[in-house]
Amino acid sequence: MIEAIAIAAVPPQAEAAGLLGRWEGAIRVGETSIPIIVRVAEGPDGLVAVMDSPAQNARDIPVAGLSEASGVVRFTVPMAGGRFEGARSEDGLTWTGTLFQGAASLPLILTRTAASAEAPPPPSRPQTPVPPFPYAAEDVTFPNSAAGITLTGTLTLPRGEGPFPAVILLTGSGAQDRDETIMGHKPFAVWADALTRRGIAVLRYDDRGMGGSGGGSLDETTADFATDAVAAMDFLRARPDIDAARIGLMGHSEGGATALIAASNGAPAAFIVMIAGPSVSGADILTEQTKQIVLASGGTEAQALQSEAVQARFMLAVLNNRNDGPAAARAVEALSIEIGQSAQQAAGVARAMSSGWYRYFTAYDPADAIRALKVPLLAIYAGRDRNVPADQNAPHLRTLKPDAEIIVLPGLNHLMQPATTGLADEYATITQTLAPEAITAVTDWVARVAEAP
């Protein structure tokens, strides 16, 4: 996360509010306690703030808009789609409030523990590629003229003259950098390295609002991201060292849907790879996801079914107002209050669920795009994926596209790592970024379909 993200400057009023230092607390997700650290330090242009999640090996997550007014401390965490709001104690040593993220409202008390705001040591990620490489790597930019933005990324090219087959990598949900960095892991850097060593050029780029890429808002949808994928393909097709007839799209999670939308809109993809990609609607995925997370966290079947029923009600509230953001916000806020959330919590949930991205993601069903797909499709699912469950998506994909190659790898999580529960709090404790069997399955298939040497 450090390499591709500029840390946001805190407004000048934060300095007067005495917000300097290291603030520590923890949130609870199911039975798991996840420590949270916010570090506020002097920067060349004022104060800067970042967040660390040590248990997840995530550090230097940019914090924006840190301020204190009338005893209330507020800040946002744009990369995670989160925000904090809490009361500042009279002695100024404690912030007591709530961290809002998506539909979740998590109590969080942050206490100043030290004046130092030094970062923790980086996690060990031995699979992350380091130079020298047996291939060329160049920083590139390309325009999405329709959106009026420029995107930045890295193109890796095998040795030789080419023209080479190529793969465009598409990230999952949330703003990601070109390496899809999460909790110290850089899976897209690992995928690019493995594929390029097999004779396949790879383009990976920063999502909108990340690195040097333009755009970036909660109202940009998967369909908007699909136009970025088309722009990436246009960029590669214009290069003499790339074979325009052998360019494929490879998407992780939401990136799988991005690839399908781009292809259905006419992008001339020679093949598509979905890594934990959806075959059912976003509403169905989020509902099943809720149930599986409760069960994997040690909850009972009754608790899981209750959570699933509540999530289904939220999905219906959003779907019934998919084309009307304010109406969706009102419906979600009313439901949140009905199930016992405070007015403040309900407002936070409503803001997240009524965004353009959330409404589109919930309503989008990839079934028609999958049925219409005429090019080879590889879909890799993980047996312990709680985000895009294999037992929900793999069988349905088989009915939609019988000639697709579908592989379910047991024991892996949503990132394609060996896992015990498959919950996100395990990502930090796993040293391996990608399981070798996942790398082999994808690179062998792509090399065969693209006829790479």
Side-chain angles (χ1 to χ4, degrees), residues 93-394:
L93 299 180
T94 303
W95 307 340
T96 302
T98 304
L99 181 66
F100 301 96
Q101 186 174 22
S105 302
L106 306 169
L108 175 60
I109 300 174
L110 291 165
T111 302
R112 192 203 302 267
T113 59
S116 172
E118 293 182 0
S124 173
R125 298 291 181 249
Q127 283 179 297
T128 300
V130 294
F133 303 122
Y135 51 80
E138 60 180 89
D139 291 331
V140 297
T141 62
F142 57 92
N144 180 340
S145 301
I149 60 174
T150 297
L151 299 157
T152 58
T154 298
L155 176 63
T156 52
L157 293 159
R159 286 177 174 168
E161 296 183 4
F164 305 106
V167 167
I168 298 168
L169 301 183
L170 308 172
T171 69
S173 300
Q176 308 279 344
D177 66 25
R178 67 190 69 184
D179 294 330
E180 203 187 37
T181 303
I182 180 170
M183 301 178 194
H185 294 287
K186 296 180 180 294
F188 274 21
V190 178
W191 282 122
D193 180 78
L195 287 163
T196 309
R197 289 173 185 267
R198 293 293 298 270
I200 300 149
V202 178
L203 173 61
R204 62 193 197 270
Y205 57 90
D206 301 318
D207 286 348
R208 296 185 181 201
M210 297 297 292
S213 292
S217 83
L218 289 178
D219 286 323
E220 292 169 338
T221 70
T222 317
D224 296 317
F225 307 149
T227 68
D228 298 338
V230 173
M233 183 163 284
D234 290 341
F235 167 72
L236 289 184
R237 284 168 58 85
R239 290 181 62 108
D241 49 3
I242 300 296
D243 187 339
R246 292 189 292 163
I247 303 174
L249 299 173
M250 177 171 156
H252 174 231
S253 194
E254 184 192 4
T258 304
L260 293 172
I261 295 171
S264 66
N265 288 340
F271 56 88
I272 288 178
V273 179
M274 296 201 307
I275 308 294
S279 70
V280 301
S281 73
D284 288 344
I285 283 178
L286 293 171
T287 303
E288 178 66 18
Q289 180 186 110
T290 299
K291 180 177 74 174
Q292 293 217 10
I293 288 175
V294 172
L295 291 172
S297 301
T300 65
E301 184 72 24
Q303 289 171 327
L305 291 175
Q306 181 182 19
S307 296
E308 180 185 36
V310 171
Q311 182 68 24
R313 293 184 66 193
F314 275 107
M315 294 299 92
L316 188 60
V318 175
L319 290 171
N320 286 342
N321 299 282
R322 68 190 70 180
N323 297 317
D324 188 336
R330 290 192 296 271
V332 168
E333 189 166 6
L335 180 54
S336 297
I337 291 173
E338 179 188 329
I339 65 172
Q341 292 186 332
S342 69
Q344 183 186 62
Q345 291 171 327
V349 174
R351 276 192 294 272
M353 285 192 168
S354 63
S355 71
W357 178 86
Y358 200 99
R359 286 181 286 118
Y360 185 95
F361 180 84
T362 302
Y364 178 69
D365 187 335
D368 289 342
I370 294 172
R371 289 193 193 97
L373 200 61
K374 303 301 182 186
V375 299
L377 171 65
L378 170 66
I380 302 286
Y381 292 101
R384 290 182 179 150
D385 187 345
R386 309 305 175 191
N387 295 63
V388 181
D391 54 4
Q392 177 191 43
N393 288 271

Side-chain angles (χ1 to χ4, degrees), residues 23-41:
W23 305 81
E24 296 188 8
I27 57 174
R28 291 197 65 82
V29 179
E31 298 301 314
T32 302
S33 178
I34 301 177
I36 296 293
I37 299 170
V38 175
R39 295 180 286 115
V40 186

